[in-house]
Amino acid sequence: MADREAKRKAVGLLSGGLDSTLAIKLVQEQGIDVVALNFSTIFCRCNRKGGCGSEAYRVTRELGLPLKVITLTDEYLEVVKRP
């Protein structure tokens, strides 16, 4: 019975764009707790002011979500070099 009463949780991949923002909002509206996950790669210049990384931060503030940013650098570059 305790499992049924436990709050459902989800991870939402958030780029900061409209699609991922709306998807997370729809999940939230179903009463599900969401943690936003954002990936930053060596090629990403999104964390500059006005970039998509800053949009991810803005969205999570507006929706009241925790944000986890995962930075992929050397590991990601190795995959690109040797797919």
Side-chain angles (χ1 to χ4, degrees):
M1 196 76 139
D3 289 330
R4 289 183 180 204
E5 295 174 11
K7 181 97 172 169
R8 294 180 298 166
K9 298 179 183 184
V11 173
L13 300 178
L14 180 66
S15 66
L18 182 60
D19 293 351
S20 59
T21 300
L22 289 176
I24 288 175
K25 181 66 176 165
L26 286 171
V27 171
Q28 272 188 312
E29 287 178 353
Q30 296 175 48
I32 300 171
D33 283 337
V34 180
V35 173
L37 185 61
N38 179 270
F39 290 98
S40 176
T41 72
I42 194 167
F43 303 108
C44 182
R45 301 184 53 101
C46 297
N47 291 327
R48 296 180 305 182
K49 185 176 182 180
C52 59
S54 59
E55 281 299 300
Y57 286 106
R58 182 189 63 75
V59 167
T60 55
R61 280 192 309 274
E62 285 183 14
L63 297 180
L65 299 172
L67 175 65
K68 172 76 174 156
V69 177
I70 297 179
T71 303
L72 305 171
T73 53
D74 295 334
E75 313 90 23
Y76 187 77
L77 189 55
E78 287 303 314
V79 170
V80 172
K81 287 179 182 176
R82 294 178 199 85

